[in-house]
Structure formats: structure tokens, C-alpha cells
Amino acid sequence: MKITGIESFVLRIPTPKPISLEFPEHRLVVASIQTDEGLTGLGYSLAFGGGGAEAIQVYLETRLAPLLVGEDPLFVERLWERMFRFDRGIKRQGVAAYALSALDIGLWDIVGKAAGLPLYKLWGAASDRIPAYGSGGWPRYTLADLIGEAERYASMGCRYYKLKIHDPDPRVNRQRVEAVREALGEGVRLMVDANQKLDVVGAIRQARLLEDLDLVWYEEPVLADDIAACAEVARSVRIPVATGENNYTRFEFRELIERGAARYLMPDVCRANGFSETLRIGRLAAAHQVAVSPHVVHELSLHVAGALANGFLVEFIDWTPPDLFVEMPRCEDGHFRIPDRPGHGMALAPGAERTYRVG
């Protein structure tokens, strides 16, 4: 089998309320990989809030896609190494990592289709039913928006909900957490996300105001670039730290593990150089008894969580319109059943490209 062509494009997708209060749109950088045997692989990376999507698409189209045309798509490891090592002067983070991720995801889609297996089974399944946590609670939400969103996820059976703690006053953040906890009751556990907004002193101060609330985790308390700072926070607070959505390679995650910077690692398959590197990260974490809870794109992340014995939760942000994909996995009783369709099982709906394509 040979790759005969790769088409890439950007989709601009408006978000529903209340997410639109914070992010009016997201963008997908899509890669469609064609082969001479009729199999097509779909890969995409989610540019949250739309940032950088066009740059990702240009890098994918001009630098990485030409490396794959004419090659056997089943040699995923070899092709991943070729892409990862090609531009030695450009670190495989940010734009480059998003672009590589989309192509790696598309290659694995072809492998699964060729084998007639869903990816989580191809990789050695640990589970076919993955628990999810509802995620949102952005700072532009009113208290009514926040509680309404949390209750909606709880109505789907989610027993976990994550909200943002972005207010400069740590007491205000505590009040919002307490309001959600009171609304949801004891049956739903909460996690909080600082999204890198704090320094070490501020992160420790905030955590100490929340430590009695039995939170599952305290996410991205400081800049993701500063692993030493994250480790200092983790040593100083009683809430387990989670991080990783803005880390890109197994080498960064190795340092997070070795420094004891987190008990939950959160690689994003669209940022962490695709399925290939995310699986390496997950297995590295398993060697250290660290849990993996992939970041967003749950429809893809399910396969990673289902293949790993140390997979924990997938992040469920319910934002995709019904005319974007043929069939999104459904959250039932707080869990997702991983689709048994070959590959990753996702396909753009008829007309989605025409409706949402940029340019």
C-alpha cells in the first residue's frame, strides 16, 4: 500500500452557549490521507479557540505531507520518526507538533482500517468503556451558567466535573467551587484548573484555600514550561497535581515524572505528536504508577484510555455540532463506550467540509 496524496484544510466551527462566552469558535486542522488501495485516513488537530490553525495547516502541507507521499502508511513508526526529525531547527512543539499529530492520527486510522480493528483493540485493549468528566466552568460564565453546565453533565451521569479558577482573588475561586459542590451534592467530585495563571506562591496559597474540599486534582497551577515550579507546588500542597496538556513529548513527561510534578498526566493527542507519542507517554507513566487522563478530543482520546491499564478519565467538553461528524460517541451513565468501528472510528459528516471550511 502506498500513500498517493494528502489533502489538508481548516474547519471553523462556532461553539454553543455557554462555551461561546469564552470561546466563540474552535478550529480543526484536517488531513485526509489517500492510498492506492482505496483506504483513507482521517487525521485532525483541534486548535482550541482557533489559535494558530492556519499556521498549523501551512506547516503540515508544506513541510510534513511531502515526506509521506509514496510511502507505505503501515510503517507508522518509521514515518513518525521521519516527520519528527525532519526540521531539526524547529522544536517539535506548538505548531509543528499539532501538524505532526494530525498526520499521525490519520496514519493510525489507515492501520486500523487495514486490520479491521478499532485502535484500542489493535494496541491491546484494557477497557472498552471509559468514564468521563464534564469540563468547563470558564471565568466568563455567570454563577448560573456555571451551575447549569455542571448540572447538565451530572444529568448525563458524569460523576466528575472540572471548573476554572481564574479570578485574581483566591477567595472568589473558592466560592465558585463551593457553589458547584452545593448544587451537585456528594455524588459528583470536583477538580479545578488554573490554566497556568499562577506563580508558585499564588498556586500554593490558592490550593490551601481548597484543600478541605476533597478535590480530585489541581490542574496546571503554573506555567507548563516551568516543570521545576510545578514540582515545587506538587510538594507543597495536599491536592494531587495534574498537568500535561501543554507538554508535547515523552521527554517533557519524563521530567514531570522524575521531578514528582504530577500524579495525573494529561497528554493531548492533537498536541503531543499524535497517537504514537501519546501512547509512549502513557506507558512511561505506567512504569511509575502515574495515571493518564487525556486532554479534550474525547472521541479520539477514548482509544488511548482504552488501551492503557493506567488510563483514568477522558475530558468531555460537549461542543461539537451534530453536523460535524457522522457519529460522535455518546456519554451514557457518565461513560463512553468506545466505538468498534475500524481505525479511530470518526468521519466527517456529509457536507461538513462545505459548511465549515475556511477559504
Side-chain angles (χ1 to χ4, degrees):
M1 190 188 312
K2 300 295 181 184
I3 296 170
T4 55
I6 298 172
E7 181 187 9
S8 67
F9 48 89
V10 175
L11 301 181
R12 175 190 173 276
I13 303 138
T15 58
K17 288 185 177 179
I19 300 169
S20 60
L21 297 172
E22 192 76 27
F23 298 106
E25 67 178 51
H26 293 324
R27 298 198 180 196
L28 292 182
V29 181
V30 180
S32 177
I33 305 175
Q34 292 87 39
T35 70
D36 60 359
E37 294 188 11
L39 291 178
T40 299
L42 173 68
Y44 57 90
S45 284
L46 169 63
F48 212 81
E54 290 75 16
I56 295 164
Q57 193 268 336
V58 169
Y59 187 79
L60 185 158
E61 183 79 23
T62 62
R63 301 299 292 168
L64 298 183
L67 302 176
L68 304 185
V69 175
E71 298 294 327
D72 186 337
L74 304 186
F75 280 78
V76 180
E77 183 82 1
R78 182 167 73 188
L79 297 177
W80 187 93
E81 288 287 340
R82 177 176 291 182
M83 291 187 289
F84 190 78
R85 295 175 181 273
F86 180 63
D87 273 322
R88 290 182 294 276
I90 296 178
K91 202 166 188 180
R92 272 68 69 184
Q93 298 177 340
V95 166
Y98 278 85
L100 195 159
S101 295
L103 290 168
D104 181 80
I105 290 165
L107 290 173
W108 276 113
D109 193 33
I110 292 172
V111 173
K113 289 172 178 174
L117 288 171
L119 291 177
Y120 79 104
K121 287 184 177 179
L122 187 71
W123 296 330
S127 178
D128 63 352
R129 188 169 178 267
I130 311 298
Y133 68 92
S135 178
W138 292 93
R140 293 187 184 179
Y141 290 13
T142 65
L143 201 56
D145 293 326
L146 174 63
I147 291 171
E149 180 186 76
E151 289 178 336
R152 187 167 62 85
Y153 283 119
S155 73
M156 299 181 200
C158 293
R159 292 186 284 276
Y160 302 88
Y161 176 72
K162 184 176 79 180
L163 67 152
K164 310 302 180 181
I165 49 169
H166 289 187
D167 197 278
D169 186 341
R171 294 168 296 183
V172 172
N173 292 320
R174 177 176 173 106
Q175 289 166 3
R176 285 170 71 87
V177 176
E178 285 181 323
V180 174
R181 187 179 188 189
E182 182 177 350
L184 297 183
E186 296 296 325
V188 178
R189 295 192 65 196
L190 302 181
M191 43 273 270
V192 295
D193 189 352
N195 287 114
Q196 311 180 71
K197 298 287 186 181
L198 302 171
D199 60 16
V200 170
V201 173
I204 294 171
R205 181 183 296 119
Q206 178 68 81
R208 288 179 178 164
L209 272 179
L210 300 171
E211 284 177 342
D212 63 315
L213 298 179
D214 190 33
L215 299 176
V216 178
W217 68 55
Y218 184 38
E219 186 174 332
E220 276 200 325
V222 294
L223 282 173
D225 312 76
D226 194 346
I227 294 174
C230 191
E232 185 176 352
V233 173
R235 289 193 301 268
S236 304
V237 305
R238 291 188 296 164
I239 310 170
V241 168
T243 195
E245 69 184 70
N246 290 298
N247 299 103
Y248 296 88
T249 68
R250 79 197 92 140
F251 309 111
E252 293 170 71
F253 282 89
R254 179 179 64 190
E255 186 177 354
L256 285 166
I257 292 168
E258 289 176 347
R259 287 181 177 269
R263 293 306 311 169
Y264 299 97
L265 294 179
M266 315 179 80
D268 182 323
V269 297
C270 296
R271 301 179 187 179
N273 289 278
F275 282 135
S276 295
E277 188 76 341
T278 302
L279 287 169
R280 296 184 194 107
I281 290 162
R283 288 165 181 150
L284 175 65
H288 297 269
Q289 295 293 314
V290 173
V292 171
S293 183
H295 177 248
V296 300
V297 289
H298 65 273
E299 71 278 7
L300 298 177
S301 299
L302 285 169
H303 289 276
V304 173
L308 298 173
N310 58 324
F312 179 36
L313 300 167
V314 291
E315 183 171 16
F316 178 29
I317 302 180
D318 188 17
W319 71 274
T320 54
D323 60 348
L324 180 59
F325 292 112
V326 171
E327 185 180 348
M328 282 287 282
R330 294 180 59 190
C331 184
E332 297 177 341
D333 190 28
H335 291 71
F336 286 101
R337 181 77 64 181
I338 307 176
D340 232 19
R341 300 184 291 270
H344 54 57
M346 299 305 299
L348 291 176
E353 182 182 344
R354 182 176 62 254
T355 301
Y356 297 114
R357 184 164 177 161
V358 176

